[in-house]
Amino acid sequence: MERGTSLLSIQLLNQMVTPDKYDSLYIMISPTIRCNLSCKYCYVNQNMSRAYSDLTMSDIKFIYKWVYEYASLINIRRLQIEWFGGEPLIVGGDFLDEAISLQTDFFPVEEFEVHNTIQTNLLLADNPKNIGLFKKHFHSYVSGSMDYRGGMRVLKNGEDSTKIVLENISALQSKGISVGIVCTLTKSNIDYVDEIYDFFKSRTIDFRVNRAAHVDNNEIECSIISPEEYSNAVKRLFELYANDPNPRIRFANFDMMVRLYLMGLSDICVTATKPYLHLAFEAAGRLYSRCRFVDQIGDYLRETPCDILARLKERSSPRLAPQHCTECRFFDKTCMGACFGEKDVDCYHSDCGYRGETNKDLWEYLENYLTSQGYEYGSYRKD
């Protein structure tokens, strides 16, 4: 990787902040599991046998009351609430506006700090009520999904959704709404990494990439890229981003890893080390311990916060760090072991089901780049 200073000196290092000393409680709320897309690689569709149902406003109030009691038990007063799905905008901007506005009744501002985000497929994002919702409750920022040259995020009739999504992104940006995109890499677009970067830069869209999970569908399985292909694609994006004299956007994969390395922090998902700090709520009392909504750990309608907390406390740290991770020189430095929130997604070892080797490859690549630039691990640590 050639020397590139614009990113590190201007876009990233000047934004370094003191590591947060206080835990947050991460709450994911799925107001519906209905979706207006039929993405070919969707792990939810492939694994979902539960009945479709939406949250009511009474459900929302019950969840808030339950969360208040739970947060009090663990003595946490900072809530990160993400509205997820399905497609959350299906329930309507008015419903979400009312639901979020109710939060001050349950989490008084003198007691709680609450931050709301939303993850949407952007098909309904251009609705005027939704635009108002984004400005009022989401700091004029929307996180969405769109796979450049992917062809797998399709409508119910099988048509590609890209054209609609692009039109809606333009509509949002014209109204002052910033957009961040998750782009999934598959066999369809893995050969267009340079174009992917140029595309998001040309439209001033922050982005990150991930790899499609394995699903029980032989037709789709052939489109799943290997860990090596994913790692090489991310490294190429690193190069393009770090050497861009005027990036104008954030490539989130790179930014996150650089921040962790230079600030001397570890890369580990809160669902692995502290599963009791990440809860996901769905209709009919279904409670999950992570964002995929496939690992149900209880029923919030029938079980108390105390019951759930006791169960999750038993799931903590001992599950971390399979042996091949503890032998890695980055263990305890940039990571604490493989991410249990993404089993069998990014792993060279098909029999172990962890993504550790892909992470190791990327950390080695990034470390070589940073040390060649004169930076050391923890050199921007602020105690």
Side-chain angles (χ1 to χ4, degrees):
M1 186 181 288
E2 298 177 357
R3 183 177 179 84
T5 60
S6 62
L7 172 74
L8 293 181
S9 62
I10 299 174
Q11 181 159 316
L12 191 60
L13 297 186
N14 290 340
Q15 299 175 18
M16 290 293 181
V17 295
T18 303
D20 208 329
K21 297 180 180 179
Y22 304 99
D23 278 330
S24 294
L25 175 58
Y26 295 85
I27 299 296
M28 188 169 283
I29 299 177
S30 180
T32 181
I33 56 174
R34 292 181 292 137
C35 188
N36 44 11
L37 283 179
S38 293
C39 299
K40 297 178 182 179
Y41 52 59
C42 181
Y43 56 81
V44 176
N45 286 341
Q46 299 295 331
N47 293 284
M48 189 172 66
S49 59
R50 55 193 183 271
Y52 284 97
S53 54
D54 295 350
L55 292 174
T56 66
M57 201 58 64
S58 294
D59 293 329
I60 295 291
K61 294 176 181 178
F62 188 94
I63 290 171
Y64 288 165
K65 183 178 179 181
W66 196 99
V67 169
Y68 178 90
E69 183 178 343
Y70 186 90
S72 298
L73 284 173
I74 57 178
N75 194 30
I76 286 182
R77 290 294 182 266
R78 178 178 296 169
L79 306 180
Q80 306 279 352
I81 301 179
E82 180 174 8
W83 297 87
F84 202 69
E87 170 48 49
L89 293 177
I90 284 180
V91 299
D94 287 341
F95 180 92
L96 292 174
D97 180 30
E98 181 180 355
I100 297 172
S101 296
L102 280 171
Q103 290 173 1
T104 54
D105 294 341
F106 293 85
F107 311 110
V109 293
E110 62 271 15
E111 293 184 50
F112 285 89
E113 176 185 336
V114 182
H115 180 71
N116 286 276
T117 59
I118 189 168
Q119 178 71 33
T120 168
N121 61 33
L122 296 168
L123 289 186
L124 304 173
D126 65 331
N127 181 293
K129 288 187 178 180
N130 291 334
I131 290 176
L133 179 78
F134 303 147
K135 291 184 176 181
K136 181 178 180 181
H137 295 296
F138 301 115
H139 307 283
S140 295
Y141 181 86
V142 177
S143 179
S145 301
M146 195 212 81
D147 304 340
Y148 180 79
R149 282 186 175 265
M152 292 197 171
R153 299 186 63 81
V154 297
L155 304 173
K156 297 296 185 180
N157 61 8
E159 294 182 5
D160 195 318
S161 64
T162 301
K163 183 175 183 294
I164 298 173
V165 171
L166 288 178
E167 291 174 350
N168 288 350
I169 289 175
S170 295
L172 290 173
Q173 290 178 324
S174 70
K175 299 295 184 180
I177 308 293
S178 298
V179 180
I181 289 293
V182 177
C183 177
T184 299
L185 300 178
T186 62
K187 292 289 188 183
S188 300
N189 58 7
I190 192 64
D191 293 328
Y192 300 98
V193 172
D194 287 34
E195 286 188 32
I196 289 172
Y197 181 80
D198 291 340
F199 171 80
F200 287 116
K201 178 181 176 178
S202 69
R203 291 185 173 257
T204 320
I205 299 173
D206 297 340
F207 76 104
R208 67 178 173 90
V209 295
N210 62 13
R211 189 168 84 90
H214 293 281
V215 295
D216 296 326
N217 184 320
N218 291 333
E219 179 183 355
I220 305 306
E221 278 295 300
C222 66
S223 72
I224 303 297
I225 61 174
S226 69
E228 294 95 333
E229 288 175 304
Y230 174 73
S231 183
N232 289 335
V234 175
K235 287 188 284 189
R236 176 56 183 162
L237 289 167
F238 279 2
E239 292 180 359
L240 294 170
Y241 186 53
N243 292 292
D244 191 334
N246 185 26
R248 304 201 313 270
I249 59 172
R250 291 180 62 251
F251 174 41
N253 303 66
F254 184 95
D255 274 19
M256 179 273 291
M257 293 181 72
V258 170
R259 286 175 185 271
L260 291 170
Y261 191 89
L262 296 183
M263 296 177 72
L265 302 177
S266 297
D267 173 22
I268 186 63
C269 179
V270 67
T271 64
T273 54
K274 298 179 180 179
Y276 57 91
L277 291 183
H278 196 154
L279 300 177
F281 293 81
E282 197 180 89
R286 293 186 287 259
L287 181 66
Y288 305 83
S289 64
R290 59 188 181 197
C291 65
R292 286 175 178 261
F293 289 98
V294 294
D295 179 31
Q296 186 169 349
I297 49 89
D299 185 330
Y300 62 85
L301 293 177
R302 294 176 174 82
E303 297 181 272
T304 69
C306 189
D307 294 335
I308 297 297
L309 180 61
R311 185 177 305 149
L312 290 177
K313 284 285 189 178
E314 297 175 355
R315 292 188 170 203
S316 299
S317 299
R319 297 201 315 163
L320 293 177
Q323 187 61 36
H324 76 272
C325 284
T326 60
E327 296 170 351
C328 172
R329 78 174 192 273
F330 292 101
F331 182 69
D332 260 347
K333 183 177 182 182
T334 62
C335 76
M336 292 290 290
C339 176
F340 285 76
E342 296 189 44
K343 291 188 68 174
D344 198 32
V345 177
D346 296 332
C347 184
Y348 286 132
H349 305 296
S350 59
D351 59 335
C352 81
Y354 303 117
R355 70 176 187 177
E357 287 298 318
T358 305
N359 274 354
K360 181 174 180 288
D361 187 37
L362 292 175
W363 279 117
E364 287 177 344
Y365 190 78
L366 183 73
E367 182 179 60
N368 289 336
Y369 169 65
L370 291 175
T371 55
S372 74
Q373 300 292 303
Y375 297 104
E376 297 178 356
Y377 176 74
S379 57
Y380 278 76
R381 188 194 306 270
K382 297 183 179 180
D383 298 318

